[in-house]
Amino acid sequence: MSLTFNSIDYLVLVLYAVALFYIGFRFSKKEKNQQDIFLGGRSLKWWQIGFSIFGANAGPTMLIGFASIGFSHGIVGSNFELLAWIFLMLLAMVFLPYYLKTKISTIPQFLLLRFGKRSYNFLIVYSLISILVVWLGSALYAGGLLISGVFGCRLFPAIVVIAVVATSFTAIGGLKAVVRTGIFQSVIIIVSSIILTFLGFQKIGSMDTLMSQTPESYWKLFLPATNPEYSWIGIVLGYPVVAIYYWCADQTIVQKVLAAKDLKEGQYGALFIGALKIIMPIIFILPGIMCFVLFRDTAADNAYITMIKQLMPHGLLGLSIAALIASLVDTVSSSLNSFCTVFTLDVVQQFKMLNTGQQRRMGRWVTVLVGLAGIGIAMLFSYSGKSFFDLTQGLVSILAPPLAVVFLWGVIWRGINGIAAEVVLYGGGLACLLLGICHVLNYPYQGYWPHFLMLSFYIFVVLSVVIVTVSLLTRSTGNSEVPTLFDRKEGEMKQQPRAVWLTWLGLAIVMIMIYIYFN
């Protein structure tokens, strides 16, 4: 899979690296208070939030993984993008008003205010493990595989280089650096992917030619229930469980909207990334389908790299690799900053109160140390014997259900209490861990467990019954003064900008039309 570069490609890569470090480091001199390294002084505007979330979300898993799904299954993978707007709306219009009103800096602080200290401590550990393993470790591993394959080097040096680059400006510049570099890298990713899609169309000739040379099922968003990997039932029932956790309760994603200048900017930021979801299947999944037509003998996991290698002229080839590196660095830097934020503000502050300077220094040292830990976890993944995508899917299915249940029910019904939340978090978390391990290891035998999306749904239903039942049978503990979906005061609802709701409605109409057309 190694590529042949010329001087123009290397020049593009060098210019990318110079621009990245300049944008990242120039903000290290503009810190005004302790929140700058964690929440950018709560000053981000909607377009900064949207591009930053896009950069963190559009990691190497999306670029390579979606092309692979497009190559082997068609547009069915688009569901993971097109359905995300529902949960981004949930984040913007239900979760975010409370998050900003209470001035929380981390997601665990939500559980502290809503359910008490024990739930708070659980989510601290849960968040740190999630960031370290699911975000940082897997991103470094995927990036190591990518860089080592492209440049023909060994895996370990590739992982180290990525970690050093991302850690350097993250530790010094904090969230402002992560956001500004994320904007820069998002533009590179989008431009590079659009060019690749255009060149693919140019090679094939027309959309009619593309459709005539692919199976009819490649152009269906919903596949039959008998499909073993991406049945419509699994997507409709299982995807929301993962999506609630990912978009509404994951520190790496939510931290961007927590740093919003105000509620309106945060809501428009979520709306902006929701609108960007419309183009993502076109620029990420369609190249995989084109690869199936043009280079059918290639492996599905190599579809994106094959398209770049075969279609991109020199110069644009360097830009494409820069886009892959950009997606990788942005995911790693976002993970590092999120871990640093939770650890410094939620763990250290419980044992010792730090002043402004101490918090900054602590945050920087934690960023460096967790970068080293991420390198170790990435190397452990390389000895697992499983593919990268199997690993990440299994990890997400393990972590999602308990948090999805507690956060969703916590904003829907005031009656959910701290005892019920603790039962679901601690008991459900342990059960999910055991079930997830058995699922990944195919114990007691292969085929025993349902697809990971359906497994997540079943666990979600069971834990939902548990949290409601325990709440009804126990005395209320925790803070009931929390805005919910159904009982907010009329004045609070009027504070929600009407234009935001109307824009969400417009986005919903567009998405519905897409689903009608492709089914």
Side-chain angles (χ1 to χ4, degrees):
M1 193 173 64
S2 60
L3 306 180
T4 302
F5 295 91
N6 67 7
S7 57
I8 298 177
D9 296 315
Y10 284 114
L11 177 62
V12 171
L13 288 172
V14 170
L15 290 175
Y16 159 74
V18 170
L20 175 67
F21 279 104
Y22 172 75
I23 294 171
F25 282 122
R26 72 183 291 255
F27 290 97
S28 65
K29 300 178 180 180
K30 296 186 177 183
E31 297 173 4
K32 297 179 180 179
N33 54 58
Q34 77 275 11
Q35 284 191 325
D36 279 341
I37 194 171
F38 303 122
L39 293 178
R42 296 188 189 270
S43 61
L44 300 187
K45 298 180 181 179
W46 64 268
W47 56 274
Q48 295 174 313
I49 295 168
F51 274 126
S52 183
I53 294 176
F54 176 90
N57 179 225
T61 306
M62 176 179 290
L63 293 174
I64 298 175
F66 276 0
S68 174
I69 294 174
F71 184 94
S72 56
H73 295 89
I75 66 170
V76 65
S78 302
N79 287 292
F80 296 97
E81 295 300 298
L82 298 179
L83 293 176
W85 74 270
I86 300 171
F87 307 95
L88 285 163
M89 183 176 68
L90 189 66
L91 168 65
M93 312 309 290
V94 178
F95 285 93
L96 184 59
Y98 177 68
Y99 287 164
L100 295 183
K101 181 180 179 181
T102 55
K103 297 293 184 181
I104 64 171
S105 299
T106 66
I107 291 301
Q109 291 173 7
F110 169 83
L111 292 191
L112 176 64
L113 294 170
R114 181 67 173 87
F115 298 119
K117 191 67 174 288
R118 286 191 293 268
S119 296
Y120 167 67
N121 286 332
F122 173 88
L123 189 53
I124 289 174
V125 176
Y126 216 62
S127 294
L128 292 177
I129 292 174
S130 171
I131 295 168
L132 187 61
V133 177
V134 175
W135 281 95
L136 182 59
S138 62
L140 285 174
Y141 178 47
L145 293 174
L146 171 66
I147 300 302
S148 62
V150 170
F151 293 100
C153 61
R154 294 175 58 194
L155 179 64
F156 181 72
I159 291 174
V160 171
V161 169
I162 297 162
V164 169
V165 170
T167 300
S168 57
F169 64 76
T170 305
I172 296 176
L175 184 65
K176 272 289 182 70
V178 172
V179 169
R180 297 304 176 113
T181 55
I183 295 170
F184 167 65
Q185 294 174 144
S186 295
V187 172
I188 291 179
I189 294 168
I190 292 173
V191 170
S192 173
S193 298
I194 289 174
I195 292 173
L196 182 62
T197 304
F198 172 78
L199 292 176
F201 268 123
Q202 197 174 47
K203 183 78 171 179
I204 291 172
S206 67
M207 190 67 186
D208 290 338
T209 304
L210 177 64
M211 296 183 69
S212 66
Q213 297 185 34
T214 52
E216 184 180 354
S217 63
Y218 270 43
W219 304 100
K220 299 290 185 182
L221 282 170
F222 285 151
L223 298 181
T226 55
N227 187 282
E229 296 186 75
Y230 298 104
S231 74
W232 71 269
I233 296 178
I235 290 172
V236 170
L237 298 181
Y239 172 71
V241 179
V242 178
I244 291 171
Y245 159 67
Y246 183 86
W247 293 112
C248 302
D250 186 274
Q251 178 69 27
T252 303
I253 294 295
V254 178
Q255 184 168 341
K256 309 301 189 300
V257 293
L258 292 181
K261 182 179 180 180
D262 52 38
L263 175 61
K264 184 178 179 180
E265 294 290 341
Q267 290 176 328
Y268 275 113
L271 183 56
F272 180 44
I273 184 64
L276 285 177
K277 293 295 180 182
I278 297 175
I279 69 169
M280 288 187 187
I282 300 174
I283 62 177
F284 293 149
I285 293 179
L286 201 55
I289 302 176
M290 293 176 175
C291 186
F292 175 80
V293 173
L294 295 172
F295 314 106
R296 194 165 300 190
D297 293 335
T298 192
D301 287 346
N302 292 336
Y304 192 83
I305 296 297
T306 299
M307 289 287 286
I308 289 175
K309 181 178 180 180
Q310 298 293 335
L311 299 182
M312 284 293 201
H314 288 293
L316 290 178
L317 177 61
L319 179 66
S320 299
I321 299 305
L324 285 169
I325 298 173
S327 70
L328 173 62
V329 170
D330 197 69
T331 301
V332 173
S333 60
S334 294
S335 307
L336 289 168
N337 188 253
S338 296
F339 189 100
C340 161
T341 301
V342 173
F343 188 85
T344 303
L345 299 184
D346 288 322
V347 176
V348 177
Q349 293 286 81
Q350 293 193 49
F351 301 97
K352 182 180 179 180
M353 295 300 297
L354 304 178
N355 60 34
T356 299
Q358 289 173 327
Q359 285 188 339
R360 283 199 297 266
R361 288 191 295 272
M362 173 65 71
R364 288 169 177 169
W365 278 110
V366 169
T367 300
V368 173
L369 293 175
V370 77
L372 295 174
I375 293 173
I377 292 174
M379 290 306 299
L380 287 176
F381 282 169
S382 68
Y383 295 105
S384 67
K386 285 187 172 289
S387 71
F388 170 73
F389 299 107
D390 287 341
L391 282 170
T392 54
Q393 288 175 351
L395 290 169
V396 172
S397 68
I398 291 169
L399 292 171
L403 290 182
V405 167
V406 170
F407 274 79
L408 185 61
W409 281 99
V411 299
I412 287 179
W413 184 31
R414 292 183 186 272
I416 300 298
N417 60 45
I419 296 175
E422 291 164 20
V423 169
V424 168
L425 290 173
Y426 286 92
L430 178 60
C432 285
L433 179 61
L434 295 175
L435 287 173
I437 292 173
C438 291
H439 185 266
V440 171
L441 297 178
N442 295 315
Y443 180 85
Y445 55 84
Q446 188 170 3
Y448 180 82
W449 299 101
H451 188 267
F452 76 95
L453 285 174
M454 290 306 300
L455 181 60
S456 292
F457 172 73
Y458 295 145
I459 297 172
F460 177 85
V461 171
V462 172
L463 293 182
S464 292
V465 172
V466 170
I467 200 170
V468 172
T469 303
V470 174
S471 294
L472 292 174
L473 296 178
T474 58
R475 180 183 297 180
S476 178
T477 61
N479 182 10
S480 62
E481 297 300 320
V482 177
T484 64
L485 182 61
F486 298 110
D487 63 0
R488 285 184 184 170
K489 296 178 181 179
E490 184 178 349
E492 291 178 332
M493 293 301 295
K494 287 182 178 179
Q495 293 177 5
Q496 305 289 339
R498 184 180 180 184
V500 179
W501 282 112
L502 291 176
T503 311
W504 281 116
L505 177 61
L507 182 59
I509 292 172
V510 172
M511 293 297 187
I512 291 172
M513 291 174 64
I514 290 174
Y515 271 85
I516 291 174
Y517 182 80
F518 284 103
N519 284 291

